[in-house]
Each structure stands twice: as structure tokens, then as C-alpha cells.
Amino acid sequence: MPSRTHKSRARVVPALAAAAALTFALAGCSVDSTSPADARAGASDSDGKPLASGNNGGTGSTQTVDCEKAKCIALTFDAGPGKDTPELLDILKKEKVHATFFLLGKNHVLKHPDVVRRLAAEGHEVANHTWTHQRLDKLDKEGIREELGRTQDAIAEITGEKPRLMRPPQGRTDDEVKAVSKELGLSQVLWSATAKDYSTTDSALIEKRILDQAGRDGIILLHDIYDGTVPAVPGIISELKERGYTFVTVPELLSPAAPEPGTVYRP
């Protein structure tokens, strides 16, 4: 059996790799991206009114938010659902906040179908984070299609709706990922604020990192699978509400534009 020290090292190496990947993703990706503000400005909605957000067939929010007027920010969670996701959903329900969840297929959607069903039913945007978290820019088109398509099908079997959003692992994307995403009806969503919560269990630090990076039209990236993350969420929500922010799903952030398949959205 490996020693405790050896196991700790095994955890640190992926964290360092992830940190480098996040730095790359925030610095830019290899395809053009569209900001939420530009998406709204280019919307073809004839009366100029914001559209109600979708929630994958759920019975939750039909809230309409005009992010041209409101100080909007989107809270997103990657790589779940996990053991702490039900607690997170209780927090979001209490705070009347709807989030966007980018779900992993193989070991998460299949393992927690009741949680996936609850996400949709409570008005959260259910989105795709691939089947096994492989870097899509390292795969051929068939591999990309497999990673995204299997998760699309697994979520649809549970919720009755296929996701319309995806987040590429590590934020890595390219023209082939764009082409397959468009084929599958998926928009790509990156982010503007991250706590690097894979590298710490310090909830106060996670909260501080997000609050330091929060901005109008921002997209917050957190992971509901790490121990320090969910305890940080109430403080993040409370402080950002105090600062005048309105929490929205990613489609609400783009409204009156609808997410366009293949397009990369990034604040």
C-alpha cells in the first residue's frame, strides 16, 4: 500500500498541471470568443426585451433579467455532481440563486442521476463538461464527439433535454472542438474568475479569490467536488449581493441572445 506521503504527492502533481492549464485558459484560447455584452448587443430579438432563461425542461425559475441594466454575474460549477452537490443546492435554493452546472458524465452523471434530475427541476442550467474530462484539443473529431455526445445522451436520458452549453476541460479548445460543438448544438463557455479550489481546502481563501476577481458580466468558475468549495458559497453570494450583483445563469447573461452552437463565450 502506498504511503500517505506518496499519495499526497500524487494529488499535488495534477493540481500543478491544472494550475498551468487554468493560467493558459485565462490568457486566451486558440479560437475567437464572444463576450456576454457583445452577444447581447448582437441579438436579433426584434423588441429588444430580454428572454426568459431556459432550464433544460425544469420547473424552476422563469425569471427574466435584463443584464444591460442589472449588474449580472453567473455562478458556475464544474466536474460534478458530487457528494456535496445536494448541500450546495440547498444553499442556492435558500438564496434564490440559479447557477450553471457543467457535469461530468462517466463517474458523476451516471452515479448521481437523482441530483441531475434535481438540478433541472430547481431551475439550474444543466450543461456538459465531457464524459471523462479529457483535453478535447488533444483528441480527433471522433474522440471529441464521443466525449461530448455520451454526456449529452446521459443527461437527456435523465432530464429529457440535451444540454446547450459545454465547458472544455482546462478551457482548452480549438477549431475542431468548435466544429463538433456546433454539430452537437453546444456553445462553449469559459470564465473570468476562478478560485483554483482544486488546490486548497481553505474556504475563506476560496471566497476571497472569487470576490477579488468578481466583475460585471463575469462568469465564476468553482468545483462542487472539492471539500472547501461549498462552504465558501454562502459568503460569496452574500457579499456579491451586498455589492449589487444579480445572479443569473449563463443563458440569462447572454439574453436576449440565445447561446449559439460552436461559439466560445468568455467575459
Side-chain angles (χ1 to χ4, degrees), residues 76-80 100-104 127-129 165-167 189:
T76 75
F77 296 91
D78 280 12
T100 302
F101 287 81
F102 294 90
L103 306 183
L104 277 176
N128 188 327
H129 196 43
L165 306 177
M166 79 85 156
R167 176 169 284 154
V189 180

Side-chain angles (χ1 to χ4, degrees), residues 15 195-201 209 226:
K196 299 182 180 179
D197 51 354
Y198 52 80
S199 65
T200 180
T201 58
R209 285 174 173 173
Y226 297 125

Side-chain angles (χ1 to χ4, degrees), residues 157-178:
E157 187 172 342
I158 295 167
T159 67
E161 297 282 345
K162 288 187 177 182
R164 51 183 170 166
L165 306 177
M166 79 85 156
R167 176 169 284 154
Q170 302 181 8
R172 305 276 189 156
T173 188
D174 60 18
D175 288 336
E176 287 198 343
V177 176
K178 180 176 182 177

Side-chain angles (χ1 to χ4, degrees), residues 112-175:
H112 303 285
D114 290 343
V115 179
V116 176
R117 196 171 293 112
R118 181 181 171 188
L119 285 168
E122 294 187 0
H124 303 287
E125 187 74 20
V126 180
N128 188 327
H129 196 43
T130 75
W131 190 249
T132 62
H133 206 264
Q134 292 191 59
R135 267 185 56 175
L136 298 180
D137 63 327
K138 295 290 188 181
L139 303 177
D140 60 19
K141 282 191 175 181
E142 187 56 40
I144 298 166
R145 196 175 290 110
E146 174 86 358
E147 279 288 309
L148 294 173
R150 291 187 72 179
T151 304
Q152 289 289 90
D153 292 342
I155 290 173
E157 187 172 342
I158 295 167
T159 67
E161 297 282 345
K162 288 187 177 182
R164 51 183 170 166
L165 306 177
M166 79 85 156
R167 176 169 284 154
Q170 302 181 8
R172 305 276 189 156
T173 188
D174 60 18
D175 288 336

